[in-house]
Amino acid sequence: MRIDVNECASLLKEHNNILILTHAHPDGDTLGSGYALCRALYKLGKICSVVNADEIPAKYGYMYDDIVPIEFKPDFVVAVDVATDNLLGELQGRYHINLCIDHHSTNTEYADNLLIEDVPAASQIIFKVIKALDVEIDSRLADCLYTGLTTDTGCFRYSSTTADTYRAAAELIDLGADNGKINRIMFETKTKTYAKLERAALDSMRFYDNDRVCIITITQQMYRDTGTTEQDTEPIAPLTRGIEGVEIGITVKEKADGTCKASIRTFESVNAAQLAKAFGGGGHMQAAACRIDCNIEEAVKRLVEKSGELLK
């Protein structure tokens, strides 16, 4: 059932033991949404926790380093920034999901209650929900929300960014969000191991369809050679968009089981979600992802073929 922000806030107020699910391979928006909501619910005296199927990268530690994990039996489960339940990774099927707060047009409506808005970041919706909960937004909570906004808009560079997004960011800065520090951590700070991985990724870059399609491939051997993991690949996907003439940029990551995950970035001329949907995935107009159950060479072949169809 579709609900609005006020109905969402009322549902949250009705329950006391609330578990918040974030998507696997977590990014700044799912974590910012999850921990912001958790902090708000703490202020209402709720028992609450945020869980993720994967290890959370250390760079996000400022959002949760003062939160003590609590084990409890939830009576209400919320998924944030999760378009389909298979994005929960190993958490899929473990919980009955009562509420989903999301901003993806490809949401499969798997939860009992759905708060879905067409905005650049789930954190922008969570900000409205927290206001409806009528709790004080302190600087730590503002940091979480600002992180979601800035990461899912590429530091406000993507065309999906709206005037309302800028207004929300400005309000969060007024509330104490450390925008300079967060932007530096998210977009400028790189580990030495990541630098090695980026170098290898750029070496793998290949062009197709009159150079309109750019594909980077990342293998398990690259992770071993550079001392990195898939968690380190988040900043790599946007690199393909920065090449002149490229309309579709794809980063294909080999999984440990030999299958692949593709992160797709496009400009206005191509719908990234449409390309991802062809392989059972989804996302946004210019940023989407999918899993492909084949080896990396075959995955590249299929992606190039489908990209060519969309570019005709």
Side-chain angles (χ1 to χ4, degrees):
M1 181 176 69
R2 296 266 182 157
I3 60 175
D4 61 25
V5 167
N6 289 325
E7 290 170 325
C8 177
S10 295
L11 273 175
L12 292 168
K13 287 178 178 178
E14 289 171 6
H15 297 86
N16 291 315
N17 302 311
I18 301 175
L19 188 67
I20 301 171
L21 308 181
T22 50
H23 64 67
H25 310 296
D27 59 16
D29 193 28
T30 196
L31 295 175
S33 297
Y35 283 110
L37 183 58
C38 182
R39 289 177 179 277
L41 293 172
Y42 278 162
K43 290 175 181 286
L44 293 175
K46 310 290 186 181
I47 295 173
C48 186
S49 187
V50 178
V51 296
N52 191 278
D54 296 319
E55 182 179 354
I56 298 175
K59 68 178 181 178
Y60 296 114
Y62 64 88
M63 288 197 281
Y64 60 83
D65 58 11
D66 63 334
I67 294 178
V68 178
I70 304 171
E71 290 191 12
F72 61 94
K73 183 177 180 180
D75 59 20
F76 198 74
V77 178
V78 185
V80 293
D81 192 39
V82 182
T84 66
D85 59 348
N86 63 10
L87 293 176
L88 293 169
E90 293 182 1
L91 297 179
Q92 183 184 14
R94 191 175 299 181
Y95 303 99
H96 178 82
I97 301 173
N98 306 104
L99 170 65
C100 173
I101 303 173
D102 188 32
H103 68 129
H104 295 94
S105 62
T106 54
N107 190 285
T108 56
E109 303 195 5
Y110 56 88
D112 295 340
N113 300 280
L114 301 154
L115 174 55
I116 302 175
E117 293 188 5
D118 183 18
V119 293
S123 295
Q124 193 167 335
I125 310 171
I126 298 291
F127 192 12
K128 296 179 185 178
V129 172
I130 291 172
K131 286 182 175 179
L133 290 172
D134 196 27
V135 300
E136 177 190 4
I137 298 177
D138 57 28
S139 61
R140 296 299 296 263
L141 200 161
D143 280 347
C144 295
L145 291 171
Y146 182 87
T147 300
L149 291 183
T150 193
T151 53
D152 249 28
T153 60
C155 203
F156 308 100
R157 290 179 293 119
Y158 299 160
S159 61
S160 60
T161 308
T162 65
D164 283 340
T165 309
Y166 283 112
R167 280 189 280 267
E171 188 174 350
L172 289 167
I173 293 169
D174 285 341
L175 290 166
D178 194 342
N179 60 306
K181 176 182 177 181
I182 293 169
N183 288 335
R184 184 171 63 253
I185 292 172
M186 294 298 113
F187 300 103
E188 297 178 9
T189 305
K190 299 177 181 179
T191 64
K192 292 179 181 178
T193 52
Y194 168 78
K196 293 178 182 178
L197 179 63
E198 182 179 290
R199 188 182 305 120
L202 290 173
D203 284 344
S204 78
M205 185 180 286
R206 299 292 183 271
F207 296 90
Y208 306 87
D209 210 309
N210 295 318
D211 294 343
R212 293 188 296 170
V213 179
C214 174
I215 296 184
I216 283 174
T217 53
I218 300 176
T219 65
Q220 289 291 311
Q221 187 61 49
M222 287 182 186
Y223 295 141
R224 289 190 289 269
D225 291 343
T226 59
T228 57
T229 68
E230 188 175 344
Q231 297 291 353
D232 296 292
T233 63
E234 185 181 345
I236 289 178
L239 297 177
T240 54
R241 283 172 47 108
I243 308 299
E244 183 179 8
V246 170
E247 296 179 60
I248 300 176
I250 308 172
T251 302
V252 185
K253 294 169 281 190
E254 183 184 33
K255 308 287 290 182
D257 63 0
T259 62
C260 299
K261 179 182 178 182
S263 296
I264 303 164
R265 300 293 185 269
T266 64
F267 289 102
E268 291 81 359
S269 58
V270 179
N271 187 332
Q274 185 179 355
L275 177 54
K277 187 176 180 180
F279 299 95
H284 303 289
M285 287 282 291
Q286 293 166 303
C290 58
R291 296 179 184 274
I292 305 177
D293 293 331
C294 61
N295 63 41
I296 202 163
E297 292 82 7
E298 180 64 23
V300 169
K301 180 180 177 181
R302 294 182 189 179
L303 287 162
V304 169
E305 181 179 352
K306 188 63 182 179
S307 295
E309 294 176 10
L310 295 178
L311 287 170
K312 287 180 180 177

